[in-house]
Amino acid sequence: MVWLFDHTGKFPKSERFRLAKRIDDALFDFHKSLTAAVYRSDTRRHLQDADLHLNLLRAYLRLALELKYTAPKQYHYAAEQVNEIGKLLGGWIKKA
């Protein structure tokens, strides 16, 4: 989360309140859904919400790459991290 917040903070000023905000919001929503899955009884629903937010994050990161706000190396690093998180989340959903 820290790396991605630092990264979106370097987006052009015109994009910080548009695409960067969407990326940050998707990340916060993902974190909120995971936290809710731990503390609430309807775990599966919150994990599915987290999966939705993670997929939105993937789409926003691809858009940032296409718009050249993210360098290819930065995108690949972020994509690897998101994919690893997605694998862990998928396992948790199957278990729930």
Side-chain angles (χ1 to χ4, degrees):
M1 286 179 74
V2 173
W3 181 87
L4 198 50
F5 289 142
D6 182 54
H7 180 66
T8 57
K10 296 174 186 169
F11 279 21
K13 198 171 195 173
S14 62
E15 287 301 319
R16 281 192 217 137
F17 299 104
R18 198 166 49 179
L19 183 56
K21 181 171 179 358
R22 296 222 182 239
I23 291 171
D24 292 350
D25 288 347
L27 196 53
F28 275 122
D29 291 341
F30 173 76
H31 185 265
K32 181 180 176 182
S33 295
L34 285 184
T35 303
V38 170
Y39 290 106
R40 296 197 177 144
S41 60
D42 49 347
T43 302
R44 189 170 185 80
R45 182 179 69 85
H46 291 292
L47 292 175
Q48 289 171 334
D49 287 346
D51 190 46
L52 169 68
H53 297 302
L54 195 62
N55 283 319
L56 287 171
L57 181 60
R58 280 188 180 107
Y60 297 148
L61 290 172
R62 279 193 303 271
L63 183 57
L65 175 67
E66 289 177 25
L67 294 172
K68 297 187 179 9
Y69 301 140
T70 299
K73 274 179 118 175
Q74 293 170 320
Y75 171 77
H76 289 295
Y77 172 77
E80 285 175 2
Q81 301 305 309
V82 169
N83 285 339
E84 184 62 29
I85 291 168
K87 289 176 188 176
L88 294 170
L89 180 60
W92 194 4
I93 290 172
K94 285 180 185 175
K95 227 173 120 177

